[in-house]
């Protein structure tokens, strides 16, 4: 536990010092003037459009952090051989992986905090108010990216950052359309093809479990069970991805 | 007392894609050696002999293909945590997180052993002092010179006060003063009861430092023993420089060469020195210097490689 925390804290320090947060300041500077534009364009719809725009931007910036850092962290450690010193200390490889994961998650959380506060301020400025659904939506976005970060780290045990990033991005796209994907798989011709497609559609994380954007923007009621499902699904999927990643890393010769 | 390190028939094969087919290369071929408590053991061999590969296998960075190794009686794979708690490792050409300062890095390493807070700060300060890096504690690692990284690497290997040190090329990248300081540090650590296993491809690094050395050539353990023992059969000769000798002066079985008005005479073996000196005197010459020469390790290695290859054929 202590070692995982130490590595997480160090990873947090690494990613924060890695100029990721500077990009977020830029985000804050984009969304404020961006909201002005919205006001003049659509009278009466400002708050709704601002929310939509804000959620989209948070998802996009969060995705960038998760994919870029998630795929690069382990690779950098291997590439620059800084991992040698870690492995020779009483740190197990899975502890290293899990520590790095939570360190990156902490950075992501900080980023969400900065972006969320900026969005709330803009919202208040325009006479809107964040409600429970607003926070739930942002939590959902964070949940998606927590899963995607784990996927990015899993790919990074197998491939170089650029390739892992492309794969992770594909998983994100597929994951946000998971239900459609499943329907599509069910209609595949031929048993073999169908089974294969279904298997793929189940391995890919269903990110629709985390999506409250529609409810939030149109003020629809949310089912309690959907929240529990989201939490359980995230925990399970992250455990699954990190376990597979650990098994791969454990057997690997570090070069 | 039991051995600190026991390597038993350690073998490592790397499999690579080469010309569209899988090729397996044996990099370590049944390496065996033992290191006793309290000794400084030099692991010597030319570039590419497999020193770093052996050390990586010991530290759990790569997996041996076969064979075993035990450190302080624990199998390095099955009891890796016990081993690592009591071992310190310096990698070859160390490189560390460039986003940390020297001090932050050492505190991070200490934290991995559960040393935190004031204890960690104190330990860090001691280690920086020990390796002569105190003024550079706040320097970002990305601004460190090669020598400073080496010293930082040595400091981090000592953070858990280990009984056994595994250092890969500890004096490479250091200037002569730095080399001396590191060698003195090794002797000091030995005095404190530590055991040191270090690699080098330079003989003078090992001389006057090692209790025993092991020589690895082409992935095979060549010999293990004390240096004089190993170099006993290495070629040695004596160079005599004389002047005022008559034209055409020659000695049986010795090469001569005129250099700037003086004569350089190369004698094979110490037994020919006395007669040679007598002859020089009789011819009216005067001796300027007599210097015994020994083959350097590079030549020694080259010869061993040749013998090893011939034996292999
Ligand atoms: N990951 C790897 N895959 C394939 N071959 C490797 C790998 N690592 C090392 N080798 C090969 O193993 C051999 C021994 O390398 P090693 O680094 O152990 O030598 P060394 O004795 O440490 O040499 P040096 O004095 O240059 O540090 C070299 O021929 C090298 O090319
Ligand atoms: Mg080496």
């Amino acid at each position: 536990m202590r070692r995982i925390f130490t590595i997480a804290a160090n990873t947090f320090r690494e990613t924060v010092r890695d100029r990721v947060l500077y990009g977020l300041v830029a985000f804050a500077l984009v969304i404020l003037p961006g909201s002005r534009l919205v006001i003049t364009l659509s009278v009466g719809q400002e708050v709704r459009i601002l929310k939509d725009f804000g959620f989209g931007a948070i998802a996009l910036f969060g995705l960038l952090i998760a994919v870029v850092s998630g795929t690069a962290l382990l690779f950098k450690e291997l590439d620059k051989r800084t991992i040698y010193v870690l492995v020779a200390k009483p740190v197990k490889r899975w502890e290293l992986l899990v520590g790095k994961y939570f360190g990156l998650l902490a950075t992501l959380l900080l980023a969400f905090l900065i972006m969320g506060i900026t969005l709330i301020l803009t919202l208040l400025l325009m006479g809107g108010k964040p409600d429970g659904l607003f926070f739930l939506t942002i939590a959902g976005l964070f949940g998606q990216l927590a899963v995607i970060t784990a996927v990015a780290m899993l790919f990074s045990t197998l491939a170089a950052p650029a390739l892992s990033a492309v794969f992770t991005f594909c998983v994100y796209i597929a994951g946000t359309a998971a239900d459609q994907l499943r329907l599509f798989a069910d209609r595949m011709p031929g048993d073999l093809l169908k089974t294969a497609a279904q298997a793929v559609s189940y391995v890919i994380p269903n990110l629709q479990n985390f999506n409250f954007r529609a409810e939030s923007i149109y003020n629809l009621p949310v089912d309690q069970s959907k929240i529990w499902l989201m939490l359980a699904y995230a925990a399970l999927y992250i455990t699954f991805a990190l376990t597979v990643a650990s098994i791969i890393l454990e057997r690997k010769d570090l070069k | 007392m039991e051995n600190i390190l026991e390597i038993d028939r350690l073998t490592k094969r790397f499999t690579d894609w080469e010309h569209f087919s899988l090729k397996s290369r044996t990099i370590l071929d049944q390496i065996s050696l033992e290191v006793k408590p309290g000794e400084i053991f030099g692991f010597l061999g030319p570039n590419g002999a497999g020193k770093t590969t052996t050390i990586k296998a010991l530290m759990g960075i790569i997996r041996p293909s076969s064979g075993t190794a035990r450190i302080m009686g624990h199998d390095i794979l099955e009891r890796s945590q016990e081993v690592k708690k009591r071992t310190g490792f310096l990698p070859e050409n160390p490189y560390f997180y460039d986003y940390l300062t020297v001090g932050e890095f050492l505190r991070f390493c200490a934290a991995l052993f559960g040393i935190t807070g004031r204890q960690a700060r104190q330990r860090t300060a001691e280690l920086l002092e020990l390796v002569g890096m105190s003024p550079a504690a706040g320097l970002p690692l990305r601004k460190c010179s090669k020598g400073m990284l080496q010293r930082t690497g040595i400091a981090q290997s000592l953070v858990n006060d280990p009984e056994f040190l595994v250092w890969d090329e500890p004096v490479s990248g250091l200037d002569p003063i730095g080399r001396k300081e590191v060698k003195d540090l090794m002797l000091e650590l030995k005095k404190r009861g530590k055991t040191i296993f270090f690699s080098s491809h330079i003989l003078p690094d090992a001389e006057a430092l090692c209790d025993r050395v092991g020589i690895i050539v082409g992935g095979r353990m060549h010999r293990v023993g004390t240096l004089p023992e190993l170099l006993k059969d290495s070629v040695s000769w004596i160079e005599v420089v004389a002047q005022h000798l008559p034209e055409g002066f020659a000695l049986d079985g010795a090469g001569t060469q005129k250099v700037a008005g003086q004569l350089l005479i190369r004698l094979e073996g110490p037994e020919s020195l006395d007669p040679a000196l007598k002859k020089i005197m009789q011819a009216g010459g005067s001796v300027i210097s007599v210097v015994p020469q020994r083959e350097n390790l590079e030549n020694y290695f080259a010869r061993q490689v040749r013998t090893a290859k011939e034996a292999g054929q």
Side-chain angles (χ1 to χ4, degrees):
Chain A
M1 237 3 234
R2 187 194 64 228
R3 291 190 294 262
I4 294 177
F5 176 78
T6 304
I7 289 169
N10 192 47
T11 304
F12 177 70
R13 190 156 52 173
E14 171 180 2
T15 40
V16 166
R17 286 184 185 177
D18 202 17
R19 303 201 171 90
V20 175
L21 284 187
Y22 303 107
L24 296 172
V25 177
F27 165 81
L29 294 179
V30 164
I31 198 161
L32 281 165
S35 65
R36 285 251 165 83
L37 214 76
V38 171
I39 292 170
T40 52
L41 279 182
S42 49
V43 185
Q45 301 270 308
E46 303 94 341
V47 170
R48 194 174 68 75
I49 291 181
L50 175 70
K51 275 189 186 170
D52 202 11
F53 173 63
F55 293 150
I58 288 178
L60 180 69
F61 274 85
L63 182 67
L64 284 178
I65 297 173
V67 171
V68 172
S69 301
T71 53
L73 276 180
L74 195 66
F75 180 81
K76 262 197 292 187
E77 195 98 37
L78 290 167
D79 188 47
K80 296 192 170 164
R81 291 178 289 135
T82 47
I83 199 167
Y84 287 7
V85 170
L86 285 184
V87 169
K89 300 214 173 349
V91 179
K92 298 194 185 97
R93 293 189 186 184
W94 70 265
E95 294 175 330
L96 182 73
L97 205 71
V98 171
K100 287 210 166 287
Y101 174 75
F102 281 108
L104 182 51
L105 219 54
T107 306
L108 207 58
L109 194 64
L110 179 64
F112 264 65
L113 224 63
I114 295 173
M115 294 192 289
I117 289 171
T118 314
L119 184 60
I120 289 170
L121 286 178
T122 317
L123 208 60
L124 290 174
L125 223 77
M126 294 183 43
K129 230 170 67 186
D131 49 6
L133 250 178
F134 174 90
F135 290 109
L136 190 61
T137 308
I138 292 191
L141 292 178
F142 185 75
Q144 282 189 342
L145 295 180
V147 169
I148 286 299
T149 304
V151 171
M153 294 198 73
L154 168 57
F155 281 138
S156 79
T157 58
L158 292 166
L163 200 59
S164 316
V166 171
F167 282 151
T168 311
F169 203 71
C170 292
V171 168
Y172 179 79
I173 303 280
T176 48
D179 289 342
Q180 288 89 318
L181 207 70
R182 226 152 272 177
L183 281 177
F184 183 67
D186 289 342
R187 290 207 204 109
M188 277 297 212
D191 275 353
L192 198 71
L193 209 59
K194 190 169 159 181
T195 319
Q198 277 173 337
V200 168
S201 77
Y202 279 100
V203 171
I204 282 175
N206 187 344
L207 297 180
Q208 277 167 341
N209 289 342
F210 300 84
N211 195 343
F212 298 94
R213 273 167 77 173
E215 284 98 329
S216 172
I217 293 162
Y218 299 105
N219 261 318
L220 304 173
V222 176
D223 203 352
Q224 273 265 316
S225 64
K226 192 177 172 185
I227 299 172
W228 290 114
L229 175 71
M230 165 176 100
L231 290 175
Y233 188 83
L236 241 103
Y237 200 90
I238 291 165
T239 310
F240 161 72
L242 292 182
T243 306
V244 176
S246 297
I247 292 169
I248 295 169
L249 190 64
E250 191 61 46
R251 308 225 40 102
K252 201 172 173 145
D253 275 349
L254 311 174
K255 293 177 188 168
Chain B
M1 200 180 154
E2 62 174 337
N3 291 320
I4 290 273
L5 170 66
E6 275 177 30
I7 305 181
D8 184 21
R9 284 166 289 169
L10 192 73
T11 299
K12 179 67 189 177
R13 279 181 291 274
F14 282 114
T15 315
D16 282 318
W17 280 101
E18 222 174 84
H19 303 301
F20 303 103
S21 64
L22 272 179
K23 268 229 173 85
S24 170
R25 282 206 300 151
T26 304
I27 302 297
L28 295 181
D29 190 4
Q30 309 227 13
I31 300 286
S32 296
L33 62 85
E34 282 156 17
V35 175
K36 302 190 177 93
E39 75 178 355
I40 299 183
F41 188 98
F43 191 42
L44 309 178
N47 289 133
K51 304 181 293 292
T52 299
T53 308
T54 307
I55 289 174
K56 279 187 188 171
L58 291 181
M59 294 295 108
I61 295 166
I62 59 174
R63 277 180 168 267
S65 308
S66 67
T68 57
R70 298 165 76 79
I71 291 178
M72 289 173 269
H74 299 302
D75 185 275
I76 54 161
L77 293 178
E78 278 152 28
R79 308 283 300 277
S80 64
Q81 297 302 99
E82 280 84 350
V83 166
K84 288 169 182 176
K85 272 179 200 154
R86 295 158 66 192
T87 307
F89 170 52
L90 168 72
E92 182 178 33
N93 303 322
Y95 186 84
F96 308 113
Y97 306 107
D98 44 19
Y99 53 90
L100 295 184
T101 66
V102 173
E104 283 172 340
F105 176 64
L106 290 180
R107 281 195 295 280
F108 167 65
C109 291
L112 292 175
F113 287 99
I115 308 169
T116 51
R118 195 208 306 202
Q119 224 186 336
R121 280 195 296 277
Q122 195 185 334
R123 187 96 196 100
T124 302
E126 275 167 25
L127 289 173
L128 287 171
E129 180 69 40
L130 191 69
V131 297
M133 286 277 288
S134 296
L139 193 72
L141 281 160
R142 90 186 98 84
K143 290 187 182 160
C144 282
S145 71
K146 203 174 165 196
M148 291 166 101
L149 284 177
Q150 192 80 9
R151 286 160 194 260
T152 307
I154 289 174
Q156 66 79 28
S157 80
L158 294 167
V159 79
N160 53 329
D161 195 22
E163 295 148 64
F164 181 45
L165 293 165
V166 178
W167 285 358
D168 198 355
E169 308 267 1
V171 292
S172 82
L174 296 178
D175 58 23
I177 300 170
R179 279 170 184 270
K180 167 116 181 30
E181 283 173 358
V182 171
K183 287 182 199 174
D184 288 347
L185 177 63
M186 287 166 91
L187 292 171
E188 171 63 28
L189 289 168
K190 177 187 156 140
K191 225 185 278 169
R192 296 190 199 173
K194 316 279 186 206
T195 308
I196 305 176
F197 178 83
F198 79 99
S199 79
S200 177
H201 55 93
I202 304 165
L203 179 63
D205 289 345
E207 278 177 330
L209 194 61
C210 295
D211 298 294
R212 290 190 312 136
V213 300
I215 294 179
I216 177 173
V217 181
R220 290 201 186 149
M221 221 41 223
H222 199 69
R223 315 187 55 177
V224 181
T226 64
L227 257 183
E229 244 170 60
L230 296 194
L231 292 178
K232 173 172 82 218
D233 62 342
S234 76
V235 183
S236 61
W237 68 93
I238 298 171
E239 275 179 12
V240 179
V241 179
Q243 57 184 8
H244 309 314
L245 282 167
E247 206 61 38
F249 177 84
L251 283 167
D252 291 343
T256 57
Q257 196 184 346
K258 260 212 158 97
V259 183
Q262 301 174 339
L263 199 66
L264 175 70
I265 306 163
R266 184 181 152 133
L267 300 171
E268 311 294 339
E271 59 289 340
S272 50
L273 182 60
D274 272 357
L277 290 180
K278 258 183 211 140
K279 278 215 173 123
I280 293 170
M281 302 295 186
Q282 281 163 6
S286 54
V287 174
I288 294 171
S289 68
V290 175
V291 183
Q293 301 276 336
R294 197 165 63 192
E295 183 183 38
N296 60 23
L297 200 59
E298 280 68 29
N299 285 346
Y300 178 76
F301 285 149
R303 221 156 39 83
Q304 299 299 344
V305 175
R306 240 180 289 130
T307 349
K309 270 192 191 145
E310 276 157 19
Q313 275 163 4

